[in-house]
Amino acid sequence: MTTSSISQSTRLPAIPRPSIPWVITFGYLFVMLLLPVAALILKSLTLSPAEIWRIATSPMALSAYEVTFVTALFAGAINGLAGLIIAWVLIRYEFPSKRIVDSLIDLPFALPTAVAGLTLATVYSNTGWLGSLLAPLGIKVAFTRLGVFVAMLFISLPFVVRTVQPVLQEAEREIEEAAWSLGASQWQTFWRVVLPPIIPAVLTGVALGFARAVGEYGSVVIVASNVPFKDLIAPVLIFQRLEQYDYAGATVIGTVMLLISLLMLLAINLLQAWGRRYGN
Amino acid sequence: MVTKTKSIKPDTPPATTAAPESTGWQKLTKPLLIAFVILYLGLVLFIPALNVFVQAFSGGVGLFLKTFSQRAFLNALWLTILMAIIAVPLNTVFGLCAAWAIARNKQFPGRTLLISLIDLPFSVSPVVAGLMIVLLYGRNGWFGPLLEANDIKIIFAVPGMVLATLFVSLPFVAREVLPVLEEIGPEQEEAAKTLGASEWQTFWRVTLPSIRWGLLYGVLLTNARAMGEFGAVAVVSGNITGKTQTLPLFVEEAYKQYHTEAAYSAAVLLAGLAIVTMVAKALLERRTGLKTGAGH
């Protein structure tokens, strides 16, 4: 697509001439993004369709997709609800150390995932601060699928908070007061007046968090036991295939994951467009 | 943090919860929600974060210093810094060019597609990113034979790690600068050009000063990601101790070898990096918040 948009630029006056920033932008994107993506897709196309299907739907791959997507969906949904409440509390209420809490929300963006995995594995192990409280109840977190879930909760936490906060900030309080003065209860006001405009932001945040959780590797590989059919996620499976020099296996599963990321990217763009329409 | 529930009571000016008739249940909403937030963040974020520091210093400073004198550790530290030294300038130049090209040309075919493409590294799994680089530069990859003939090693070596780092930290500067450029608009730049400034002068004297905070934030995020990347670098590096190991890889390796204290000594350095990033972000936000507040 780079070459086409550049060559068109000589014909259509609306398009700028290829100046230095354009050359750098397209050249860099071509080498850094398009070439690697093309290498992955074309490499998987060198296999026969039957072979691709066999690898992509092998029992171990199917189980890895299930662990990855279902766990990420749960993490996304929980963070959707919790993130909405956190954003609400940070925007609407005053309490001591609120600013510190607000800035710490970004921790999962800034903390390297290996550190997150390390500390979650310690804290939620049977002898850890939180794991030892759950162990008597028969709940094991570290090195189980629950550990994968906690790691995904951690890394996808900021997304919903950060997408909802600006929308809540801009929401006009007068409309809520109008709803109250017209006799709506607090609950009705929330459901009918406050919630509808922030739904696109919540869904965008959930989708961003879900996409992040689906691709997560660093924290999960440390906190999980990575046993197939138990808590093995798709990115770890790709890694293991590569370690075994099974390039075909890694490539096919990698392509499946890439295509899903592209679909997620499309969904996120559509959600954001919906949110902008709502805002206007 | 525990004192929170006590100090909630004094500040209940009806401004925030001006519901016409507050029932008992409604009065409880605020403390309950705040308690939920603190509990949830505590379990998922605060306690795990605190644990990094407690574990790192529980063995005393001696153990801590012992890790710091290990060759493998020092090598990992240097490689981590090297990743940032290379990735930050390259992705900053790209980010500035891309943001400027997109912001100053409102209509061209594929504009939305281009923005989505820049976002791609955010949604692609780091492992898939690493895999793509292996398929391109590895022994069986597209450029494999060519590289082998010229005796250039990219995969299982530092250049591959740099490429992986560049990939995952590519969007940050472009993403932070683009909205700022769109908001300030082209008027000042056009004025500078009419007054005879060259494009280069316009960039340095007009554009750069007005985007500096957004740019700085983008650079900070690029730096944090470049130093902290794990998955993509793990795939391409081969994780050779003392050779192709960055600090995040050192953390995992040490943990797997049951050198927990070494893992935490390295982890606390990376956590320190995260704290610096977040404090700088908070300062930047206060600064820009004040700026726009005073300007308008």
Side-chain angles (χ1 to χ4, degrees):
Chain A
M1 66 136 273
T2 40
T3 44
S4 73
S5 45
I6 286 175
S7 64
Q8 275 176 17
S9 65
T10 46
R11 270 179 280 130
L12 293 166
I15 309 157
R17 67 195 163 83
S19 58
I20 295 170
W22 282 100
V23 174
I24 293 178
T25 302
F26 283 116
Y28 196 79
L29 281 177
F30 180 75
V31 175
M32 295 306 304
L33 289 187
L34 290 178
L35 217 52
V37 169
L40 176 64
I41 291 174
L42 292 180
K43 178 87 180 176
S44 64
L45 290 181
T46 57
L47 302 163
S48 69
E51 185 83 351
I52 294 177
W53 184 253
R54 188 185 61 76
I55 298 171
T57 61
S58 69
M60 202 190 281
L62 288 179
S63 149
Y65 304 143
E66 192 267 328
V67 172
T68 312
F69 291 107
V70 173
T71 316
L73 203 59
F74 270 103
I78 298 284
N79 269 337
L81 189 64
L84 177 59
I85 296 173
I86 294 167
W88 176 270
V89 165
L90 289 176
I91 294 289
R92 291 296 171 93
Y93 301 149
E94 286 303 324
F95 58 94
S97 69
K98 181 174 119 168
R99 293 185 83 144
I100 298 173
V101 171
D102 193 355
S103 22
L104 281 174
I105 300 284
D106 281 333
L107 190 72
F109 285 158
L111 193 73
T113 53
V115 180
L118 174 72
T119 188
L120 288 173
T122 309
V123 168
Y124 283 99
S125 78
N126 283 343
T127 53
W129 289 347
L130 297 172
S132 60
L133 300 176
L134 296 169
L137 306 171
I139 303 171
K140 281 180 74 174
V141 181
F143 314 116
T144 69
R145 192 168 169 174
L146 210 50
V148 178
F149 172 71
V150 172
M152 285 179 170
L153 267 190
F154 179 91
I155 51 130
S156 64
L157 185 124
F159 291 98
V160 173
V161 182
R162 293 300 185 228
T163 50
V164 172
Q165 261 179 327
V167 185
L168 264 183
Q169 184 88 59
E170 275 177 25
E172 285 170 48
R173 301 290 284 273
E174 288 79 12
I175 300 176
E176 282 169 55
E177 277 155 27
W180 283 333
S181 59
L182 291 172
S185 72
Q186 205 176 18
W187 197 234
Q188 280 173 323
T189 310
F190 180 78
W191 276 108
R192 303 273 185 86
V193 179
V194 180
L195 196 59
I198 55 179
I199 282 180
V202 173
L203 290 180
T204 305
V206 169
L208 285 168
F210 175 76
R212 176 71 211 268
V214 161
E216 177 59 13
Y217 172 77
S219 57
V220 175
V221 77
I222 296 178
V223 87
S225 61
N226 306 309
V227 174
F229 303 107
K230 189 186 157 222
D231 62 356
L232 184 76
I233 56 162
V236 177
L237 180 63
I238 297 171
F239 196 98
Q240 291 181 350
R241 288 282 183 263
L242 264 180
E243 276 184 329
Q244 296 150 2
Y245 299 102
D246 176 6
Y247 285 93
T251 305
V252 169
I253 301 166
T255 309
V256 170
M257 295 301 286
L258 175 72
L259 294 179
I260 291 166
S261 322
L262 292 176
L263 282 177
M264 287 304 302
L265 203 60
L266 184 71
I268 290 163
N269 274 320
L270 291 175
L271 280 170
Q272 278 170 338
W274 180 32
R276 272 195 296 276
R277 257 207 311 283
Y278 229 124
N280 293 335
Chain B
M1 253 161 238
V2 191
T3 53
K4 201 133 297 147
T5 31
K6 263 187 269 167
S7 43
I8 280 158
K9 276 177 200 156
D11 68 286
T12 33
T16 34
T17 42
E21 67 264 21
S22 278
T23 62
W25 160 245
Q26 281 163 351
K27 269 184 204 150
L28 270 176
T29 318
K30 181 183 166 183
L32 277 179
L33 287 182
I34 293 176
F36 168 81
V37 166
I38 299 300
L39 181 71
Y40 185 76
L41 290 177
L43 290 177
V44 180
L45 283 190
F46 300 155
I47 293 177
L50 185 67
N51 174 64
V52 178
F53 295 92
V54 172
Q55 295 281 338
F57 297 110
S58 63
V61 183
L63 260 175
F64 196 68
L65 291 176
K66 202 179 117 202
T67 308
F68 275 43
S69 57
Q70 278 179 32
R71 269 196 78 81
F73 174 85
L74 290 173
N75 200 284
L77 180 62
W78 159 239
L79 272 184
T80 304
I81 295 168
L82 184 69
M83 291 302 131
I85 291 177
I86 300 174
V88 170
L90 284 179
N91 278 338
T92 301
V93 170
F94 160 75
L96 281 173
C97 289
W100 190 86
I102 294 168
R104 290 292 169 264
N105 298 285
K106 289 282 175 208
Q107 284 162 342
F108 60 88
R111 188 175 187 264
T112 324
L113 189 68
L114 180 61
I115 299 175
S116 307
L117 190 67
I118 292 172
D119 273 347
L120 188 70
F122 281 160
S123 49
V124 169
S125 173
V127 174
V128 176
L131 170 69
M132 296 195 283
I133 290 165
V134 170
L135 292 177
L136 207 49
Y137 303 100
R139 182 178 295 216
N140 303 313
W142 282 7
F143 301 135
L146 185 75
L147 292 166
E148 208 158 355
N150 291 295
D151 209 19
I152 302 171
K153 211 171 165 190
I154 289 189
I155 300 305
F156 303 138
V158 175
M161 297 161 71
V162 170
L163 284 170
T165 306
L166 284 172
F167 184 100
V168 295
S169 62
L170 182 140
F172 291 105
V173 171
R175 266 333 223 164
E176 291 304 322
V177 172
L178 178 59
V180 185
L181 271 177
E182 282 188 325
E183 205 186 307
I184 58 170
E187 289 80 15
Q188 292 191 333
E189 288 167 25
E190 277 158 15
K193 272 185 202 146
T194 358
L195 293 171
S198 71
E199 287 194 9
W200 195 238
Q201 281 173 322
T202 312
F203 173 74
W204 277 107
R205 304 269 183 88
V206 179
T207 314
L208 196 60
S210 40
I211 58 170
R212 62 184 188 272
W213 302 120
L215 176 64
L216 191 56
Y217 185 38
V219 167
L220 272 171
L221 291 175
T222 309
N223 179 63
R225 188 67 200 261
M227 287 190 160
E229 179 51 26
F230 180 65
V233 174
V235 172
V236 298
S237 76
N239 203 356
I240 308 161
T241 310
K243 274 205 176 140
T244 60
Q245 205 172 48
T246 56
L247 277 184
L249 296 178
F250 179 90
V251 168
E252 194 219 7
E253 173 93 359
Y255 179 70
K256 274 204 284 192
Q257 309 287 334
Y258 299 102
H259 298 310
T260 312
E261 65 293 339
Y264 272 102
S265 303
V268 82
L269 268 192
L270 290 169
L273 167 77
I275 288 176
V276 169
T277 307
M278 285 194 302
V279 168
K281 188 205 164 199
L283 290 177
L284 277 176
E285 266 171 6
R286 198 167 301 178
R287 184 127 210 179
T288 46
L290 278 179
K291 256 177 75 81
T292 49
H296 291 272

